[in-house]
Structures are given as structure tokens and as C-alpha cells.
Amino acid sequence: HQQGPRRERPFVAVNCAALTETLLESELFGHEKGAFTDAQSTHVGKFELADGGTLFLDEIGDMTLGGQAKLLRVLEQKVITRVGGTQSIPVNVRVLAATNANLTEKVQAKEFRQDLYYRLSVVTVDLPPLRDRPDDVLPLAKFFLKQFCSAANRSLLEFTADAAKRLQIHGWPGNVRELRNLMERVAFLTT
């Protein structure tokens, strides 16, 4: 986003796994005042907020089939309608999506819409889990540790040879987030 022509416009991220279908629709497309019980004011959705910029849909593999259908419609028509609204609102948004799920398998199991899969997979980057990339562990660990040492107002910590070896042989079930969180703990808690 920062190196493209949309860098002057917003980058908006949404965690699709954290929202139910109803909440996701309101979050993505917004809602009008009175659209439902708690809708006490008009809410601008993420598509409108990201207009001209980029919308990042994290954990898209966890989106319900109903949510997928609504998303596909917006991607095809480039128009949203707020929940409870009647006005079509044009949007110009670059959509990036990420998931840890195997979408090909989900499509075959009819858990992810094939048409949405093909609409999203214009350009794909398949990033293997950290456990399959042991050579990436130390550079990432050093990067995160430098950030967190700075945040903790500490001088940069160094890894012992044993610590470096243990980092590389760990299985990293939590992937890069687990490594990042470990480096945060190290920066703030180690003596």
C-alpha cells in the first residue's frame, strides 16, 4: 500500500474471523440510523472509509457463505449499500485478503465460494508457515527484538548461540505472531 499509487489514501484492516455475519455486513458496508435495534446513528463502513485506498480483509477464510456472497457482489459491482439503506454508494477500493486456511480445500468442501476465490486470487502470495522457514526465524526475531527494545527504552539485546539455536528448532505453532510476542516478552521482561 505504502509504495503504490494509493499510498495517500487510507489503509483499512478488518478481521473477518472476529465478526459474525450480521456484524461483518455492518462493519464492511455501514448502516443507517434505525437499521436495527442498536443503530442509534449512521455508521460509515470500512469500504467507504477505504475509498481510494486499500481494504485488508484478514482471515477471509472464516467468513460465512452469506458474507462471501455480499462481498462478491460489492467486488463485482463496486457499489455498496448500507444496512437499512437504499442509496447505492460507489467505492473504489483495492482489496487484499489473507487467511491461514487452505482456500482450495475450502472451495472443494463447499465452505468457500468458488467465484469469490477466483475473484480474489488475481495475484496470490503463498507464504509457508515459519516452521517451514527456519532461516527466516533469526532475522525476524532480531527485527522484532530491536523494535521492542526501543519501545522499552532498553539497549538492544543479543541472542546467545544457544538461544538462536532454540529459536530455529522451535515448531512455531503460533507462526510469526508467536515469535513477535516472544520477542516482546524478551524485550520487556528479561534481565
Side-chain angles (χ1 to χ4, degrees):
H1 175 79
Q2 293 300 331
Q3 295 179 11
R6 295 175 181 260
R7 68 182 160 271
E8 300 299 323
R9 302 297 301 150
F11 179 91
V12 178
V14 179
N15 183 344
C16 299
L19 302 167
T20 64
E21 182 178 336
T22 309
L23 286 175
L24 185 67
E25 187 177 1
S26 176
E27 241 351 81
L28 291 178
F29 313 131
H31 62 257
E32 296 293 342
K33 180 179 179 177
F36 47 86
T37 305
D38 291 333
Q40 297 175 1
S41 63
T42 298
H43 171 72
V44 175
K46 302 298 188 192
F47 267 95
E48 280 184 88
L49 291 173
D51 193 36
T54 302
L55 178 64
F56 175 55
L57 300 173
D58 197 11
E59 299 301 346
I60 196 162
D62 293 336
M63 187 181 279
T64 65
L65 288 171
Q68 292 172 35
K70 292 169 185 166
L71 174 62
L72 180 63
R73 191 175 317 115
V74 171
L75 295 178
E76 293 293 335
Q77 297 174 355
K78 297 179 179 20
V79 181
I80 60 145
T81 304
R82 292 183 187 143
V83 176
T86 56
Q87 180 184 359
S88 295
I89 303 167
V91 289
N92 175 2
V93 177
R94 172 193 292 145
V95 174
L96 300 177
T99 184
N100 63 2
N102 184 325
L103 289 185
T104 306
E105 289 176 4
K106 288 188 84 123
V107 166
Q108 290 171 349
K110 306 274 190 239
E111 296 171 355
F112 198 85
R113 291 181 59 108
Q114 185 177 36
D115 46 3
L116 179 59
Y117 172 77
Y118 287 118
R119 184 70 176 92
L120 291 172
S121 62
V122 175
V123 176
T124 60
V125 177
D126 184 21
L127 189 61
L130 195 54
R131 68 181 164 274
D132 295 341
R133 305 179 284 132
D135 292 343
D136 289 347
V137 172
L138 283 177
L140 285 169
K142 289 176 181 177
F143 172 80
F144 292 134
L145 189 59
K146 182 178 178 182
Q147 282 185 323
F148 291 121
C149 283
S150 175
N153 292 320
R154 294 186 71 163
S155 58
L156 184 60
L157 298 168
E158 299 288 330
F159 296 108
T160 64
D162 184 50
K165 182 179 176 183
R166 289 183 67 191
L167 287 171
Q168 287 187 293
I169 62 172
H170 183 67
W172 301 108
N175 215 351
V176 177
R177 287 183 182 109
E178 179 185 1
L179 177 61
R180 182 183 182 279
N181 291 344
L182 176 62
M183 293 304 101
E184 185 173 17
R185 280 194 304 276
V186 166
F188 283 94
L189 300 177
T190 48
T191 56

